[in-house]
Amino acid sequence: MNIQSLDVFIVDLPTIRPHQLAMHTIVMQTIVLVRVAGGDGLEGWGEVATIGGASYSEETPEAIKVNIEKYIKPLVIGEDAIHFDAISTKVNRQVVRNTFAKAAVETAIIDLAAKAKGVPAYELFGGQIHASLPVAWTLASGDTKRDIEEARECLKAKRHNIFKLKIGIGDPKRNVSHVLAIKEAVGDAASVRVDVNQAWDETTALYCIEALEDGGIDLIEQPLPAWNKEAMARLTSKFKVPIMADESLCSVKDSYQVAKIRAGNVFSVKPAQVGGLTATKKVAAIAEAAGISLYGGTMIESSLGTAISAQLYSTIPEMTYGTELFGPLLFTDTITLNSIVYEDFQMIVPRGPGFGMEMDKEKVFHYTREL
Ligand code: MUC
Ligand code: MG
């Protein structure tokens, strides 16, 4: 199935409530969609999500679109989609970094290739091991009372029993009290974890993690800046509570370096951050070989991007810490005709051809904006 055309759409999706991270508060989430078309009208759709313009990653949605159109598109037009790994290798030779742009293009090509074969995309990655995946919810309203109410509602509805708290903004000591209040409210009914999004320095991390560990918190995500891998390694060896690397993992090579010095004993894998699905599988293999546990991360994708990650994660033997593929639940609207099903604290991995999602093109065009 030769790729005949490629289009890029910047899409803004409104959220059900503000979502507060260290670097940005999301009220409108921007995703980038890529559509590739084959000869007989068959289309493949790919997605990456971005957070806060240039505040989370240097790859803004606008840069992703321009770089795909100018530098990646000419390398993929005319290629056979089933050779997606060979195409990614060709792209990697001529385009450095730009992992989000590469992931958006590669996922669209994989969707097309799988649809042309009439199989779910996970069949192209060795087959599905998990039919459903546990899903965490991020409590990030910025208000303790509201977060506790949200957590209780999730538990009652059997939707989530893993909660991640974003605590990279504001006074660290007050944030620790906020986390411990939530842990006390939910008790053993839920796993409570924190994501600092690189906001602490090493000395702040030392006293905060000690208090969080004593309070029964299960996982500390990216407490220190991405560059400070040596200090991440010191924290990993000092505490019993696992330290998870997220922003430190921006390539397959990074993940090897992080594994080698053990700058974290859990990896949050994210296709956009490492450059696509083939790269994500390599990161998972490095983790497996190094005895590092895995967690299925998100950049807060729509239902399409969520299906893309879920299909790949479903082929990874062990995701000890579950996933955080909650994206669609944070949006007021959807860009696909079918929805992701969440039940019994899990999400069901979509099973249709490609990534199993049918695009609602009217909605895509409705939410698309220019640069
Ligand atoms: C991140 O840093 O992990 C994922 C979930 C969430 O609430 O924020 C994102 C990004
Ligand atoms: Mg994170």
Side-chain angles (χ1 to χ4, degrees):
M1 175 66 56
N2 286 355
I3 301 163
Q4 304 218 330
S5 66
L6 185 154
D7 302 287
V8 187
F9 306 90
I10 297 179
V11 173
D12 288 331
L13 290 175
T15 61
I16 54 171
R17 59 144 168 76
H19 196 75
Q20 217 173 66
L21 284 79
M23 63 284 281
H24 177 73
T25 299
I26 306 171
V27 289
M28 186 75 91
Q29 171 69 328
T30 304
I31 61 170
V32 181
L33 298 175
V34 171
R35 175 179 64 186
V36 289
D40 55 2
L42 207 58
E43 289 180 349
W45 286 79
E47 175 185 333
V48 286
T50 62
I51 291 176
S55 63
Y56 185 101
S57 158
E58 68 273 44
E59 263 186 275
T60 62
E62 296 78 15
I64 293 168
K65 180 171 161 66
V66 169
N67 285 346
I68 291 175
E69 287 174 346
K70 192 161 170 59
Y71 301 103
I72 302 180
K73 180 176 171 177
L75 300 171
V76 311
I77 295 293
E79 296 287 348
D80 186 342
I82 196 64
H83 300 152
F84 60 86
D85 201 357
I87 300 171
S88 291
T89 304
K90 180 180 172 189
V91 171
N92 280 329
R93 282 206 188 104
Q94 297 192 45
V95 180
V96 298
R97 291 192 278 274
N98 281 283
T99 58
F100 284 63
K102 288 171 182 172
V105 172
E106 192 202 55
T107 52
I109 296 174
I110 291 169
D111 191 43
L112 179 65
K115 281 176 179 160
K117 297 259 171 223
V119 297
Y122 53 69
E123 300 291 1
L124 306 180
F125 287 91
Q128 197 185 64
I129 299 169
H130 311 286
S132 64
L133 300 163
V135 180
W137 177 248
T138 298
L139 298 168
S141 73
D143 177 73
T144 309
K145 220 172 127 229
R146 191 166 169 190
D147 281 357
I148 291 175
E149 273 164 29
E150 228 176 83
R152 289 201 169 123
E153 278 164 26
C154 290
L155 284 167
K156 202 166 151 222
K158 286 185 133 203
R159 181 155 277 190
H160 309 279
N161 55 7
I162 305 170
F163 299 110
K164 167 161 141 173
L165 277 60
K166 304 297 252 184
I167 57 164
I169 187 167
D171 175 47
K173 282 192 178 149
R174 199 171 301 155
N175 287 339
V176 168
S177 310
H178 163 77
V179 175
L180 297 180
I182 292 173
K183 178 63 193 166
E184 208 178 299
V186 298
D188 291 339
S191 170
V192 176
R193 301 139 181 216
V194 297
D195 188 355
V196 189
N197 282 116
Q198 315 181 61
W200 292 339
D201 57 22
E202 193 173 357
T203 47
T204 307
L206 284 172
Y207 68 78
C208 287
I209 296 175
E210 189 171 59
L212 292 167
E213 186 174 85
D214 290 347
I217 301 312
D218 290 324
L219 191 60
I220 314 290
E221 180 172 342
Q222 199 69 51
L224 304 178
W227 60 266
N228 201 352
K229 297 185 176 66
E230 285 176 18
M232 282 281 282
R234 285 192 287 273
L235 296 180
T236 304
S237 64
K238 182 171 172 61
F239 293 104
K240 282 197 209 79
V241 60
I243 307 292
M244 181 154 78
D246 176 7
E247 288 95 320
S248 312
L249 302 171
C250 290
S251 67
V252 178
K253 277 104 184 162
D254 273 356
S255 67
Y256 171 68
Q257 295 301 337
V258 169
K260 198 170 148 198
I261 65 162
R262 232 169 172 82
N265 36 19
V266 183
F267 278 1
S268 172
V269 289
K270 286 182 179 172
Q273 223 159 251
V274 296
L277 300 188
T278 47
T280 303
K281 277 287 257 200
K282 291 177 190 172
V283 172
I286 289 170
E288 186 184 329
I292 284 174
S293 305
L294 286 172
Y295 176 69
T298 185
M299 287 297 292
I300 313 186
E301 294 86 10
S302 79
S303 47
L304 173 67
T306 298
I308 291 170
S309 293
Q311 283 221 0
L312 197 274
Y313 299 165
S314 79
T315 71
I316 294 173
E318 187 117 26
M319 287 223 138
T320 313
Y321 287 87
T323 77
E324 55 180 16
L325 294 177
F326 63 82
L329 301 170
L330 193 67
F331 301 129
T332 57
D333 205 352
T334 172
I335 52 155
T336 53
L337 295 170
N338 54 334
S339 307
I340 303 283
V341 177
Y342 293 90
E343 61 185 31
D344 240 348
F345 304 115
Q346 309 252 332
M347 72 162 283
I348 309 298
V349 180
R351 303 187 72 99
F355 292 111
M357 303 311 286
E358 216 183 311
M359 299 308 291
D360 184 337
K361 288 191 203 166
E362 250 174 58
K363 289 279 183 63
V364 170
F365 300 139
H366 174 74
Y367 289 112
T368 292
R369 66 157 155 98
E370 292 309 307
L371 289 180

